[in-house]
Amino acid sequence: MELEVRHLRALCAIADAGSLHKAARQLGMSQPSLTTQLRRIENSLGAELFSRERTGCRPTLLGHSVLSRARPLVAGMAVLVSEARAAADRSAGPRLRIGSTASRALAGWLRRLRERLPGTDISLQMDVSANALLRQVAGGGLDVAFVHEVEGCPLRVPAGLDRRVLVEREPQFISLARDHPAAGSQIVELADLAADRWMIDPTVDGEWDGLRRVLGAAGLNPPVLHGDYLTASSLIAVGEAIAPCQPTSVPREDMVVRPLRDDPLGVRLLLFSRPGAYEGAGIAGVGTGAGAGAGTDAGADGDGPGGAEVYADLEAAYREAALQAVVYRQWLMRNKSPLLRAPAA
């Protein structure tokens, strides 16, 4: 078998994700297919590239050697594709390609961007993996990415990306069945959930590690189910599981959303872009000092022309979603959050 770029890309994905399951999810293929592909690659090279362990996959010595040569080749191909697409985009008209992890702010953000940029083709790509989205931004497949970073689990940010911090620390709440014994409390004690089955999506970067750290610090070792959050909702509703959730989540008739005492779970909300990414969206040349986001940015490392406008629309959309969520609005009031203050006109 001859090695191709797709094979090298798969090897890099396995090394970055640390497991075949996560890598398969990022590559958009099934785990059995990726396992078979890895076995063929290793057979063609005559040795194992990864050691399979209970906690995931680790590169062998040969694996590290192969990866050191594979990464520049994969990156070079990404640049080639990016430059070719950029050349095509310049003749196809303005467009803005957005990537995002799940957020209730997305609808309001897209609405505002379409109003601001009526002649721009705005697309959205969702992914559970923030790291995968950042790689696409760095490789030219996306212009911007709105992602969350689990506390204690830093993202692997490619070099050269501009960053803006939307929320330095967003608390993560808990979803419970409406008849759960703790559902009647305004604030839930972590200890009151020790006997519950927790459900977590292990393909969300840092999610399982972050929860495990918090539970361990509290001296808890509850049973944990792994699955996607769509499945989790159906299990939560009938009392079979509980799960962490974003504070902007809107409760259903059969479920409630509650904050945890002392907010042990938290994430940071970030907006990343490539330098010059906004030029293709028809907003180049606008200074970064303008826009509602400029005064509240808690940690911008830099920004390209027009980035303040895109950030300001995201900030306004997030504030709108936060205030519409009753439980989160109450939390913001108790904590005297600046989100409660209307932005300057």
Side-chain angles (χ1 to χ4, degrees), residues 219-240:
L220 303 179
N221 187 28
V224 176
L225 306 176
H226 289 172
D228 63 89
Y229 286 122
L230 182 61
T231 303
S233 295
S234 61
L235 294 179
I236 292 167
V238 297
E240 285 297 315

Side-chain angles (χ1 to χ4, degrees), residues 185-191 258-265 334:
S185 303
Q186 187 179 36
I187 299 176
V188 175
E189 303 286 344
L190 195 59
R258 295 287 184 267
L260 292 167
R261 176 75 64 188
D262 298 326
D263 308 310
L265 294 169
R334 287 196 301 272

Side-chain angles (χ1 to χ4, degrees), residues 7-340:
H7 298 137
L8 303 181
R9 189 177 294 113
L11 295 178
C12 294
I14 295 170
D16 291 339
S19 80
L20 287 166
H21 178 69
K22 289 184 180 180
R25 183 80 173 262
Q26 293 175 11
L27 292 168
M29 60 194 301
S30 68
Q31 182 175 333
S33 296
L34 181 58
T35 301
T36 300
Q37 186 176 93
L38 175 58
R39 189 178 300 116
R40 288 175 177 168
I41 295 171
E42 290 178 328
N43 288 340
S44 72
L45 296 177
E48 286 192 348
L49 300 179
F50 292 91
S51 58
R52 281 68 155 180
E53 303 172 359
R54 186 178 59 83
T55 56
C57 292
R58 293 178 179 274
T60 61
L61 286 176
L62 176 61
H64 280 294
S65 176
V66 171
L67 285 165
S68 69
R69 293 176 177 270
R71 290 188 188 280
L73 295 173
V74 172
M77 180 59 70
V79 170
L80 185 153
V81 173
S82 173
E83 291 178 349
R85 286 175 175 169
D89 291 345
R90 285 192 287 272
S91 60
R95 73 174 185 174
L96 183 63
R97 298 165 299 174
I98 296 172
S100 180
T101 50
S103 172
R104 293 193 65 83
L106 281 177
W109 188 28
L110 291 176
R111 184 183 73 247
R112 287 171 171 81
L113 287 174
R114 294 190 195 284
E115 291 172 354
R116 183 185 296 279
L117 307 167
T120 299
D121 177 18
I122 301 174
S123 62
L124 173 66
Q125 178 179 324
M126 301 294 297
D127 200 308
V128 296
S129 172
N131 285 314
L133 291 170
L134 295 184
R135 287 195 296 270
Q136 289 200 57
V137 174
L142 294 171
D143 298 310
V144 298
F146 173 41
V147 299
H148 70 274
E149 179 180 65
V150 176
E151 197 167 56
C153 304
L155 295 174
R156 296 185 295 273
V157 182
L161 296 189
D162 292 333
R163 182 201 69 165
R164 277 183 175 265
V165 179
L166 178 69
V167 177
E168 186 61 43
R169 189 179 194 274
E170 179 194 71
Q172 297 300 280
F173 289 177
I174 195 79
S175 291
L176 308 160
R178 188 163 289 277
D179 59 358
H180 190 286
S185 303
Q186 187 179 36
I187 299 176
V188 175
E189 303 286 344
L190 195 59
D192 292 340
L193 308 175
D196 287 282
R197 282 183 291 273
W198 290 70
M199 191 155 189
I200 199 78
D201 187 343
T203 62
V204 179
D205 294 328
E207 198 106 318
W208 170 223
D209 290 335
L211 176 62
R212 182 167 49 188
R213 176 180 55 81
V214 168
L215 293 175
L220 303 179
N221 187 28
V224 176
L225 306 176
H226 289 172
D228 63 89
Y229 286 122
L230 182 61
T231 303
S233 295
S234 61
L235 294 179
I236 292 167
V238 297
E240 285 297 315
I242 62 174
C245 67
Q246 297 177 10
T248 50
S249 301
V250 176
R252 307 184 335 188
E253 290 184 1
D254 49 5
M255 290 168 51
V256 299
V257 173
R258 295 287 184 267
L260 292 167
R261 176 75 64 188
D262 298 326
D263 308 310
L265 294 169
V267 303
R268 187 164 59 154
L269 304 183
L270 304 160
L271 181 66
F272 286 94
S273 63
R274 292 188 330 279
Y278 301 107
E279 295 175 6
I283 52 176
V286 181
T288 58
T296 57
D297 187 352
D301 290 339
D303 214 355
E309 279 58 44
V310 174
Y311 174 85
D313 287 340
L314 175 58
E315 183 184 48
Y318 180 82
R319 181 177 181 275
E320 179 181 65
L323 297 183
Q324 286 176 351
V326 175
V327 176
Y328 192 23
R329 186 171 69 241
Q330 293 170 346
W331 183 94
L332 294 170
M333 292 174 65
R334 287 196 301 272
N335 290 274
K336 298 181 174 58
S337 170
L339 273 173
L340 295 171

